[in-house]
């Protein structure tokens, strides 16, 4: 008697979760990693080009804050919409299209004739950038073996974070010679990566199974994995759901965790994007030359990359809750100390520690957590809405900082804002996080919804 579709689905997921990390896994991962790095690079152009944009269009600090926030308004829309689109229509094609969208609007920004046009192009570019974040991390979480999920998702976030110091380093060489528009020329490169994704990436196996495309899923697993798995996840005993819905995110079982994720994302976005947008200008206002401010920003933000790489190992050992809570709280405390000094060495050290714990350890763990908490049918929707709330923080904080700086208040207030929001995020993490360490994505769903948990030791891999 041939195996039933449910049994075949279970067997395929077992192979997928228990597989070794094969060369095929590596090729797929490197491709999406490159796209995610470029996403981070393009987002973080703001801090690099902002001083030049201010001079070109004779902007006030408040107007400059609006320019910074336009990007995040677009990202908010892109992230909220793309997750649902991806849960309905797959991961591969939406992911490739997101790269093409933000690359094409980079080209448009090169030729922006006015400040209004530049703001519009940056906002439209943000739609593609926000959408990319919503799709890429669920894609990674769904195709890598379970025991590698945490480290590889946080490493992808590290690749994204590398975009910030890379933008600062490239800006140091390019902007003084060619001007700020040249950075948008470089930002058109992702269109090539998007075309490559369309021609080479496989679709998510879990998405295919949800759509009943068992033969397609079996073919991908056959080329991707070695050996046969024994794990039998039970998520597919449920009534199949072919697309995501926001109602899942706010249903009784998930509401507490969803509210906590959204709040932490607002705080994390305010920290990351507010700091990256304004730090070069704040340092320049303290008497640091433009080139040195780019250099300091590159050093400080590189510490966040180191934290993200370390986070992948820590969350598999001590869990998501501790890394999230401890990382955010320590980041807030270092921000407060950072604001009390202007000595070069102390600025670099305290700034590096703040970003190491904040955008590095806590920020990358937060996205890993959001990409695994929700069931497959709503995973991209969940990640998309989490990313959208992060953009709310990115939307509000640059404008708020712009108004604060325009009031010519103490520079300490700049750092006090970041310290407070980081500590609040840490408290939320400690009191309202579901610990996902040691579980497959199917087992996480089972435990949250109260269905029978798996007892197979093979399931306790993450």
């Amino acid at each position: 008697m041939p195996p039933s579709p449910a049994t075949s689905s279970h067997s395929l997921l077992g192979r997928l979760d228990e597989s070794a990390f094969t060369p095929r896994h590596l090729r797929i991962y490197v491709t999406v990693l490159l796209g995610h790095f470029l996403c981070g690079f393009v987002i973080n152009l703001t801090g690099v080009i902002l001083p030049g944009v201010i001079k070109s269009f004779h902007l006030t600090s408040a107007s400059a804050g609006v320019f910074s926030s336009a990007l995040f308004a677009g990202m908010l829309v892109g992230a909220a919409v793309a997750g649902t689109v991806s849960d309905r229509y797959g991961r591969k094609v939406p992911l490739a299209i997101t790269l093409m969208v933000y690359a094409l609007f980079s080209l448009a920004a090169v030729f922006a004739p006015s400040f209004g046009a530049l703001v519009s192009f940056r906002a439209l570019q943000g739609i593609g950038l926000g959408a990319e974040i919503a799709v890429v991390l669920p894609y990674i979480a769904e195709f890598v073996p379970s025991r590698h999920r945490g480290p590889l998702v946080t490493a992808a976030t590290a690749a994204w974070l590398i975009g910030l110091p890379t933008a600062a380093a490239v800006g140091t060489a390019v902007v003084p010679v060619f001007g700020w528009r040249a950075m948008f020329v470089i930002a058109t490169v992702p269109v090539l990566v998007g075309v490559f994704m369309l021609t080479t990436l496989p679709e998510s196996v879990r998405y295919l199974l949800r759509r009943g495309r068992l033969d397609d899923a079996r073919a991908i697993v056959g080329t991707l994995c070695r050996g046969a798995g024994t794990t039998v996840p039970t998520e597919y005993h449920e009534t199949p759901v072919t697309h995501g819905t926001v109602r899942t995110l706010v249903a009784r079982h998930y509401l507490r965790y969803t509210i906590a994720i959204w709040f932490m994302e607002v705080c994390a976005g305010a920290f990351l994007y507010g700091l990256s947008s304004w730090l070069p200008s704040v340092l320049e206002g303290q008497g640091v030359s433009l080139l040195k401010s780019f250099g300091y920003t590159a050093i400080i933000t590189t510490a966040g990359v180191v934290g993200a790489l370390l986070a992948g190992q820590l969350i598999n050992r001590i869990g998501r809750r501790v890394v999230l809570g401890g990382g955010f709280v320590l980041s807030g405390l270092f921000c407060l100390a950072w604001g009390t000094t202007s000595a070069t060495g102390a600025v670099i050290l305290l700034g590096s520690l703040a970003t190491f714990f904040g955008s590095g350890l806590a920020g990358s763990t937060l996205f890993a957590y959001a990409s695994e908490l929700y069931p497959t049918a709503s995973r991209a929707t969940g990640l998309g809405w989490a990313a959208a709330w992060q953009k709310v923080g990115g939307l509000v904080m640059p404008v708020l900082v712009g108004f604060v700086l325009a009031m010519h208040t103490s520079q300490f207030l700049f750092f006090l804002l970041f310290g407070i929001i980081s500590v609040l995020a840490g408290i939320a993490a400690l009191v309202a996080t579901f610990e996902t360490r040691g579980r497959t994505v199917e087992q996480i769903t089972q435990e949250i919804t109260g269905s029978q948990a798996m007892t197979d030791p093979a399931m306790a891999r993450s």
Side-chain angles (χ1 to χ4, degrees):
M1 180 177 178
S4 68
T7 302
S8 298
S9 298
H10 302 159
S11 177
L12 289 175
L13 287 181
R15 290 185 63 189
L16 198 65
D17 284 333
E18 298 177 39
S19 170
F21 193 74
T22 65
R24 175 70 168 148
H25 281 108
L26 181 61
R27 288 193 294 272
I28 295 170
Y29 184 68
V30 169
T31 301
V32 298
L33 208 65
L34 177 59
H36 203 41
F37 159 75
L38 291 170
C39 176
F41 177 88
V42 176
I43 289 173
N44 290 298
L45 292 182
T46 301
V48 176
I49 67 174
L50 189 57
V53 172
I54 290 173
K55 292 175 182 177
S56 295
F57 297 106
H58 310 291
L59 305 180
T60 64
S61 294
S63 296
V66 172
F67 169 70
S68 300
S69 294
L71 175 71
F72 303 115
M75 291 179 69
L76 190 158
V77 174
V81 172
T84 302
V85 170
S86 177
D87 280 331
R88 288 175 180 265
Y89 302 110
R91 314 296 194 220
K92 171 185 171 179
V93 174
L95 178 59
I97 290 175
T98 62
L99 271 72
M100 297 178 187
V101 167
Y102 72 72
L104 291 175
F105 281 111
S106 295
L107 181 62
V110 174
F111 303 103
S114 65
F115 177 64
L118 181 63
V119 170
S120 298
F121 292 145
R122 193 67 167 147
L124 291 169
Q125 186 184 55
I127 294 176
L129 292 165
E132 191 274 349
I133 296 171
V135 180
V136 68
L137 297 182
Y139 181 82
I140 293 172
E142 289 177 4
F143 91 85
V144 299
S146 276
R147 62 185 174 277
H148 297 293
R149 187 181 69 241
L152 290 180
V153 172
T154 54
T157 304
W160 186 94
L161 289 170
I162 290 172
L164 205 165
T166 302
V170 172
T172 301
V174 171
V175 172
V177 179
F178 300 103
W180 58 268
R181 291 180 188 268
M183 297 299 290
F184 282 117
V185 175
I186 298 171
T188 62
V189 170
V191 72
L192 302 176
V193 181
V195 172
F196 186 73
M197 286 180 173
L198 279 178
T199 58
T200 63
L201 290 186
E203 184 53 87
S204 163
V205 170
R206 285 180 162 91
Y207 168 78
L208 293 173
L209 292 175
R210 279 290 181 182
R211 301 293 294 184
R213 294 165 58 182
L214 185 59
D215 290 340
D216 292 337
R218 186 181 294 115
I220 292 172
V221 172
T223 61
L224 190 62
C225 306
R226 300 187 186 126
T230 58
T231 300
V232 183
T234 61
E235 186 183 0
Y236 287 92
H237 288 297
E238 303 167 5
T239 301
V241 179
T242 57
H243 56 81
T245 170
V246 179
R247 284 178 297 188
T248 300
L249 313 185
V250 295
R252 177 173 59 87
H253 298 299
Y254 286 99
L255 181 60
R256 174 189 176 190
Y257 307 123
T258 295
I259 291 174
I261 284 180
W262 289 357
F263 178 74
M264 287 187 285
E265 289 287 9
V266 171
C267 295
F271 179 90
L272 176 64
Y273 297 123
L275 201 64
S276 65
S277 295
W278 278 105
L279 185 56
S281 296
V282 169
L283 293 175
E284 189 180 16
Q286 290 180 324
V288 178
S289 70
L290 180 61
L291 287 179
K292 284 187 177 179
S293 73
F294 285 165
Y296 292 171
T297 299
I299 294 171
I300 289 169
T301 52
T302 298
V305 177
V306 177
L309 292 172
L310 181 60
Q313 303 305 315
L314 287 178
I315 62 177
N316 272 2
R317 287 171 170 77
I318 63 176
R320 278 63 165 166
R321 180 184 295 113
V322 174
V323 176
L324 280 170
F328 277 129
V329 169
L330 288 172
S331 175
L333 296 177
F334 282 119
C335 278
L336 297 178
W338 188 7
T340 64
T341 182
S342 60
T344 300
V347 166
I348 294 176
L349 176 61
L350 292 171
S352 297
L353 288 170
T355 56
F356 173 85
F357 286 104
S359 59
L361 280 185
S364 62
T365 300
L366 183 56
F367 268 121
Y369 174 63
S371 69
E372 63 193 7
L373 182 69
Y374 300 106
T376 297
S378 298
R379 184 163 297 117
T381 299
L383 196 285
W385 275 84
W389 281 102
Q390 187 196 57
K391 305 313 172 288
V392 171
L395 181 66
V396 172
M397 196 64 167
V399 173
L400 178 59
V401 171
F403 280 112
V404 167
L405 295 179
M407 295 167 59
H408 304 291
T409 57
S410 168
Q411 296 283 355
F412 178 72
L413 185 56
F414 173 83
F415 298 98
L416 177 63
L417 290 172
F418 293 108
I420 291 173
I421 61 175
S422 294
V423 171
L424 291 175
I427 294 172
L430 292 172
V431 302
T433 298
F434 178 83
E435 183 53 67
T436 59
R437 181 173 66 95
R439 297 163 173 84
T440 67
V441 290
E442 283 76 28
Q443 191 177 24
I444 293 166
T445 298
Q446 294 156 5
E447 293 190 15
I448 290 177
T449 58
S451 59
Q452 184 178 359
M454 297 301 297
T455 57
D456 189 337
M459 293 293 285
R461 294 179 180 176
S462 175

